[in-house]
Amino acid sequence: MDQQQRRDNARLLEAWLHLLEVRLEEAGEPAPDSPEAAARDAARHLAEERVAELERRGTHSGGELPLLGVARRFALSRDETFVLVLALAPALDGGFRTKIGRFYRNVLLNYVSVDLCLRLLYPDRESRILGRRLFAPDATLQRSGLLRVAAAQDMPSRLLTDHEVSLPEELAAHLAGMAALPATAEAAWRPCREESLDPFGELVAAAPLLARWRAAAEALRGLLQQPAGGHPLPVLLFRGPFGAGRRMLATAFARSLGRPLRRVRLEGLHLKLDDWAPFVKAMLRDCLVQGQLPLFTDLEALEGGQPDDRERTLQRQILLDALEQHPGPVLLTTTSEESGLLLERPLWTFDLPVPGMEERELLWRRFLAGTVPPAPDLPLHEIADLYPLTGGLIRRAAEGALSSAGSRGVDAQVEADDVRAGIRAQLAHRMRAVAEYIEPHGRWEDVVVPEETATRLHEMVAYFRHRRTVWEDWDFRAKFSTLRGVSSLFYGPPGTGKSFTAGVVAAELGMDLFRVDLSQVVSKWIGETEKNLGRVFDEAARGHVVLFFDEADSLFTKRTEVSSSVDRYANLEVNYLLQRMERYEGVTILATNHENSLDQAFKRRLQFRIHFPQPEQEERRRLWQALLPARARVAGEVDWDYLAEAFDVSGGHIRNAIVRAAFRAADLDVPIDGELLHWAASAEYEEMGRLIRR
């Protein structure tokens, strides 16, 4: 508010105060037909004309005066505006309370009461009885939080007419021309950035989406220009995955409307249930008072569904009830595909998908334009194709890549490994609650399995490498509704190399390996397991990773006949897993020691079922040799054939024996020899409960 507007506002409020004083004197006149009453009647008309004239000037001045703006945005009637100013009067003029006490001839009745409002507004008893409706809890003034009606501190009367009428402090400050950020929301709200010439110019999206967003903003601008109380204004819901640009799009809408935007992050807001309704009510009121657009982000934080989520469910319902009553537009963001918003007012939903490959490449080039230049051969086109990331994840991954490259010195450039490390860090951060990053290691030469198993493994890798050629270039997708990804089952006894081979496959494909933590995925609450699995597959799809489900039989169990609600929901989990496996376009590896426990539908729909049998003697000999590092201190010739023949164990036990022998040799400060290896293998045999061949 500039200096001229402050002066105009002061003149308007002074005119209103004068009118209130005239009405106060007029209401206290005992003889309505006396000459004094006629003079006061004339004075009242002059005061009303003065107020009307200043209001006309305020409407056409450089900016809208606070009182006029509140009356317009809340569609207040003339009587409601009168009550609002009367409740404000003691804050504007300290002597006004003295005049009220004189009016009642009682110094204790020196506050603005319901009775005083009715006496100054209406000349007869019938009108006053009808006018009590202005102070009802569901009437505009109280429902919108503009007015407080409560028993006065010194006069705890139960009668409505004796109740004190007052304004919230922040509203009184705004009407007096001292507008500030509302104290009720100061800790939670964040201002938007400055306006730009093209509000949607910073957004990177397909042309049809940009056209739709601009058209919606134009339509909303037209609705806001209509008279208050006309066509109902919509609630705008921006829905999409993390980093899709939901908040940026909401900011673009606010800029296009020329409205300040205030945001509250629901996920970071910790309020008790009793404080929740007053906070939401005050927040929406303050936004409407100051002409701001309220933006509630992270609506999914209020989703319930579990028995201990009752408070969040109630908070969500309180928020939705407040949105129904709020006359202005409200902006919401959520990552949940099912928002579940049932509103009687219009709801405009904007779904923000993951950017296309061209948009992703453009985003990579934009965010990598930093102090460290990208290498000339940086394959951004390939990276954009492989990793379907949202704009927010690309920005964070690019920041990580720039930091990694910058740490190497002044002449460093951003290499492909820097970019992949940045992507991996973001993906690990998003998946850390339900999955663990495993560093891929090993080579094909280190995988000791039967020839048939090795052939199937090479076939699986070739299937994924050439999927684009077959499904797209050769148009096999038009003939077969088969998924583009690869799903495989590794089954066999413990220690036969299933987990190790999963890492080798990931390294061979140049992909990251994430092992799903089933203890974090499976939940006793209905629907939570599906939600956790959905997050696993969604994040994995963005990161081009290998998903590894170890001990999969604990999750992918056989479906049973429905004899109870537990069976029904367990079967629903299996059905959901089948659907997500078919939709996932990456690599999924399931490992189990109990292949017969898996659901038959899984085994039928998996492209590859690869058996890891207990190694034969020749394979055991190769494992003894392959698992011993080349840099290890080894003394003399080791009889590998004897170790392979004497100890019928899996590769996991051979690995344990070699490690045990190495630590024993280090403790004795001697090289590893056949005797130590025999001792370590014998110890493993004893722990297995097997007889040792001497």
Side-chain angles (χ1 to χ4, degrees):
M1 184 181 294
D2 58 26
Q3 194 64 28
Q4 182 60 43
Q5 286 178 306
R6 293 183 186 277
R7 284 195 290 266
D8 291 343
N9 189 60
R11 292 191 186 100
L12 176 61
L13 294 179
E14 191 279 329
W16 265 107
L17 280 175
H18 178 64
L19 174 59
L20 294 176
E21 292 170 344
V22 171
R23 295 288 284 267
L24 200 61
E25 294 178 3
E26 187 180 36
E29 173 58 47
D33 296 331
S34 64
E36 291 84 357
R40 287 170 182 163
D41 187 60
R44 174 172 54 82
H45 283 296
L46 286 175
E48 289 174 346
E49 290 177 0
R50 172 66 173 166
V51 168
E53 174 63 24
L54 290 174
E55 286 181 342
R56 284 193 294 271
R57 293 181 185 178
T59 303
H60 293 89
S61 62
E64 196 171 46
L65 298 184
L67 178 62
L68 304 180
V70 170
R72 180 182 62 81
R73 296 187 188 102
F74 287 88
L76 299 182
S77 66
R78 196 61 182 170
D79 290 349
E80 290 168 334
T81 304
F82 185 93
V83 171
L84 203 66
V85 180
L86 183 55
L88 176 67
L92 298 175
D93 183 3
F96 197 78
R97 287 185 177 273
T98 304
K99 296 175 183 178
I100 297 174
R102 290 174 184 170
F103 173 78
Y104 281 109
R105 295 179 175 85
N106 187 341
V107 294
L108 297 178
L109 301 177
N110 64 346
Y111 59 89
V112 178
S113 64
V114 173
D115 178 73
L116 180 66
C117 296
L118 295 174
R119 285 177 180 271
L120 298 190
L121 269 174
Y122 307 113
D124 58 85
R125 187 177 299 173
E126 180 182 354
S127 299
R128 291 170 191 164
I129 293 174
L130 295 174
R132 291 161 65 98
R133 176 63 188 164
L134 291 174
F135 306 94
D138 59 344
T140 301
L141 290 175
Q142 279 212 74
R143 188 188 70 238
S144 302
L146 296 175
L147 200 67
R148 293 173 179 167
V149 181
Q153 292 182 357
D154 299 330
M155 298 289 293
S157 173
R158 295 183 179 181
L159 298 176
L160 174 64
T161 51
D162 291 338
H163 284 189
E164 183 177 6
V165 175
S166 62
L167 301 183
E169 293 181 5
E170 59 272 11
L171 175 61
H174 174 72
L175 294 177
M178 299 181 293
L181 185 64
T184 54
E186 186 172 0
W189 293 69
R190 297 291 183 269
C192 69
R193 292 181 292 179
E194 296 295 329
E195 295 184 13
S196 62
L197 295 178
D198 182 9
F200 296 91
E202 296 183 5
L203 303 180
V204 177
L209 278 179
L210 287 172
R212 188 207 166 196
W213 296 339
R214 286 192 170 97
E218 185 65 29
L220 183 57
R221 189 183 301 112
L223 291 176
L224 289 173
Q225 292 172 353
Q226 294 182 2
H231 197 283
L233 296 172
V235 171
L236 279 64
L237 176 66
F238 304 97
R239 189 168 59 186
F242 176 84
R246 292 163 288 127
R247 200 176 69 189
M248 287 188 64
L249 182 56
T251 304
F253 268 83
R255 291 174 179 172
S256 67
L257 299 174
R259 292 284 192 93
L261 183 70
R262 294 292 174 182
R263 174 176 72 98
V264 61
R265 186 170 176 262
L266 295 175
E267 188 176 4
L269 194 61
H270 303 289
L271 290 177
K272 295 181 179 178
L273 187 60
D274 293 340
D275 299 330
W276 179 248
F279 175 79
V280 172
K281 185 176 181 179
M283 194 161 50
L284 293 174
R285 177 203 65 210
D286 295 337
C287 277
L288 203 57
V289 163
Q290 301 193 45
Q292 300 165 345
L293 288 177
L295 169 64
F296 294 87
T297 64
D298 311 310
L299 184 62
E300 65 276 4
L302 300 184
E303 289 184 354
Q306 299 182 6
D308 56 352
D309 284 342
R310 178 176 176 272
E311 184 167 316
R312 289 196 301 176
T313 303
L314 291 175
Q315 287 180 328
R316 179 185 177 90
Q317 190 56 50
I318 290 171
L319 176 61
L320 296 182
D321 292 342
L323 297 186
E324 291 282 13
Q325 302 294 333
H326 186 67
V330 182
L331 284 63
L332 307 171
T333 73
T334 181
T335 58
S336 176
E337 295 182 2
E338 300 295 334
S339 60
L341 291 183
L342 299 177
L343 300 173
E344 294 184 5
R345 61 186 298 184
L347 176 65
W348 294 2
T349 302
F350 301 91
D351 288 313
L352 284 79
V354 175
M357 191 186 72
E358 294 182 0
E359 288 80 22
R360 294 198 296 270
E361 184 176 356
L362 179 61
L363 288 167
W364 276 113
R365 296 190 184 281
R366 172 185 293 184
F367 293 131
L368 285 176
T371 55
V372 182
D377 58 346
L378 184 63
L380 287 181
H381 183 80
E382 177 183 342
I383 291 172
D385 182 31
L386 286 178
Y387 300 98
L389 303 177
T390 59
L393 289 176
I394 291 175
R395 176 178 59 81
R396 295 188 178 188
E399 291 172 354
L402 289 170
S403 299
S404 176
S407 65
R408 293 198 297 270
V410 180
D411 299 329
Q413 295 179 327
V414 178
E415 305 289 347
D417 288 342
D418 298 319
V419 175
R420 293 191 179 96
I423 295 172
R424 184 185 308 119
Q426 291 306 312
L427 193 66
H429 175 74
R430 298 287 299 167
M431 296 180 65
R432 63 184 176 186
V434 289
E436 176 189 7
Y437 171 70
I438 305 297
E439 183 74 33
H441 62 279
R443 302 167 299 170
W444 280 123
E445 297 78 22
D446 300 325
V447 178
V448 180
V449 291
E451 184 177 352
E452 180 181 356
T453 301
T455 301
R456 296 287 286 164
L457 289 171
H458 285 284
E459 183 185 357
M460 183 186 75
V461 171
Y463 188 103
F464 188 76
R465 279 178 173 167
H466 302 296
R467 69 196 187 286
R468 187 181 301 277
T469 301
V470 174
W471 296 120
E472 295 184 7
D473 296 348
W474 295 356
D475 202 24
F476 268 64
R477 181 180 286 274
K479 294 287 186 179
F480 303 96
S481 58
T482 308
L483 67 166
R484 289 178 56 190
V486 172
S487 54
S488 182
L489 173 66
F490 292 178
Y491 67 96
T496 50
K498 299 183 291 295
S499 300
F500 175 79
T501 305
V504 173
V505 169
E508 182 70 15
L509 293 173
M511 302 168 69
D512 294 323
L513 177 67
F514 279 85
R515 180 171 57 200
V516 179
D517 186 352
L518 296 181
S519 66
Q520 298 296 324
V521 169
V522 179
S523 173
K524 64 180 179 179
W525 306 118
I526 294 172
E528 283 298 303
T529 299
E530 290 91 331
K531 185 185 296 185
N532 293 335
L533 282 166
R535 182 168 52 166
V536 169
F537 281 104
D538 288 342
E539 298 301 332
R542 299 185 187 106
H544 189 63
V545 305
V546 175
L547 273 182
F548 181 54
F549 291 84
D550 200 4
E551 299 180 1
D553 50 282
S554 63
L555 183 62
F556 299 79
T557 54
K558 292 181 178 180
R559 284 173 288 189
T560 61
E561 293 185 4
V562 177
S563 59
S564 67
S565 60
V566 176
D567 295 334
R568 181 161 62 90
Y569 285 113
N571 290 346
L572 285 177
E573 291 178 0
V574 176
N575 293 336
Y576 178 80
L577 285 168
L578 284 171
Q579 296 172 10
R580 291 311 305 255
M581 290 275 289
E582 290 183 342
R583 287 163 48 190
Y584 182 56
E585 297 189 355
V587 177
T588 308
I589 299 176
L590 284 63
T592 179
N593 302 332
H594 309 286
E595 188 253 354
N596 292 330
S597 300
L598 290 180
D599 186 83
Q600 291 298 322
F602 271 110
K603 293 189 285 187
R604 186 171 62 252
R605 298 188 192 185
L606 296 172
Q607 290 103 322
F608 298 93
R609 294 167 56 193
I610 303 177
H611 185 215
F612 286 74
Q614 187 78 8
E616 299 293 338
Q617 180 176 338
E618 174 59 25
E619 291 156 1
R620 293 197 297 272
R621 185 186 64 79
R622 290 166 53 197
L623 283 169
W624 277 105
Q625 291 178 294
L627 292 176
L628 192 64
R631 294 173 57 185
R633 293 176 59 194
V634 180
E637 293 292 333
V638 178
D639 192 347
W640 304 113
D641 291 325
Y642 167 73
L643 291 173
E645 179 185 0
F647 300 99
D648 183 10
V649 293
S650 65
H653 292 293
I654 293 175
R655 178 199 60 203
N656 294 342
I658 290 176
V659 172
R660 178 177 292 198
F663 276 95
R664 179 66 173 165
D667 184 50
L668 298 175
D669 193 21
V670 297
I672 301 172
D673 58 13
E675 184 178 351
L676 273 178
L677 290 173
H678 185 277
W679 165 83
S682 299
E684 284 290 317
Y685 236 44
E686 289 180 357
E687 293 178 359
M688 295 170 60
R690 304 276 293 273
L691 295 176
I692 304 173
R693 178 181 174 182
R694 298 297 181 183

